[in-house]
Amino acid sequence: MLSEDVVHRSVDKDGRLITQKLLCKTNSAPKWTERFLPAHIVYILEESIIDPHTKTLTSHTRNIGMQNFMTIEEKVIYKPSSENSQWTTTEKRVWVDSSFYGLASAVRRLGLERYKQNIKKTYIGFNHTLEEL
C-alpha cells in the first residue's frame, strides 16, 4: 500500500462512527494487461460504519480507479455470534465485474483469482494477529 488517507469521519445522529478512507495501492498485473492499464496504481474507497448499539462493523470497499477495466467491491460485516456473545462472526461478499470489450470474462477471472490469492494472505495475517492477542 502506498498511502491511506482519512477523507471523512463523523458520528451520525444514531451514534455510529462513519469513516471514509482513500487508499492508494500498487497494482501488479499480468504482462498481457499492460497495454490496457495506463498506470500501476489503483485508488480505492473504503467506507466503514461502527455501530456501538448493534456491536457491528460494516466495511464497504471498492476501486474508484480503473473501473473501465475492472471493478471489485467487497462488503464485510463483523458482528457478535448468535451462539456465543464472546465470538465474532464475519459475513463477506465480493463482486468482480468487467465491461472491457472483448476481454470481460478473462478480466473477471483475473480479478477473482487475484482476490482469492490476496484473501488467503489476509486471513493468515488476521489469524496471526488474533493469536498474538
Side-chain angles (χ1 to χ4, degrees):
M1 174 145 5
L2 297 176
S3 69
E4 178 178 324
D5 298 299
V6 174
V7 176
H8 174 80
R9 182 170 284 150
S10 64
V11 177
D12 70 7
K13 62 180 174 61
D14 297 321
R16 300 179 307 169
L17 177 63
I18 299 171
T19 303
Q20 291 180 329
K21 292 181 183 178
L22 180 63
L23 310 171
C24 180
K25 291 184 166 186
T26 56
N27 182 32
S28 61
K31 200 84 165 147
W32 66 267
T33 64
E34 286 181 1
R35 66 180 156 159
F36 306 115
L37 299 174
H40 293 283
I41 297 174
V42 65
Y43 293 95
I44 299 164
L45 183 62
E46 177 186 276
E47 300 168 303
S48 62
I49 301 171
I50 298 174
D51 189 333
H53 303 297
T54 60
K55 297 183 179 177
T56 60
L57 164 62
T58 303
S59 173
H60 182 237
T61 307
R62 65 185 183 279
N63 63 303
I64 57 174
M66 298 189 197
Q67 289 183 327
N68 59 339
F69 186 71
M70 177 184 354
T71 57
I72 299 179
E73 291 187 55
E74 176 187 67
K75 183 176 182 181
V76 185
I77 302 171
Y78 300 91
K79 62 184 180 181
S81 169
S82 57
E83 294 178 31
N84 182 333
S85 62
Q86 299 301 306
W87 297 349
T88 301
T89 62
T90 305
E91 294 176 19
K92 183 177 290 223
R93 294 187 179 128
V94 178
W95 300 267
V96 178
D97 198 14
S98 174
S99 57
F100 198 77
Y101 182 75
L103 294 173
S105 61
V107 171
R108 281 192 293 269
R109 279 193 305 275
L110 168 68
L112 187 58
E113 287 306 312
R114 281 290 172 97
Y115 183 83
K116 287 177 183 178
Q117 291 171 4
N118 290 336
I119 202 65
K120 287 178 187 176
K121 295 175 195 172
T122 300
Y123 285 142
I124 290 169
F126 188 69
N127 286 332
H128 175 74
T129 302
L130 289 176
E131 288 172 9
E132 293 298 314
L133 294 174

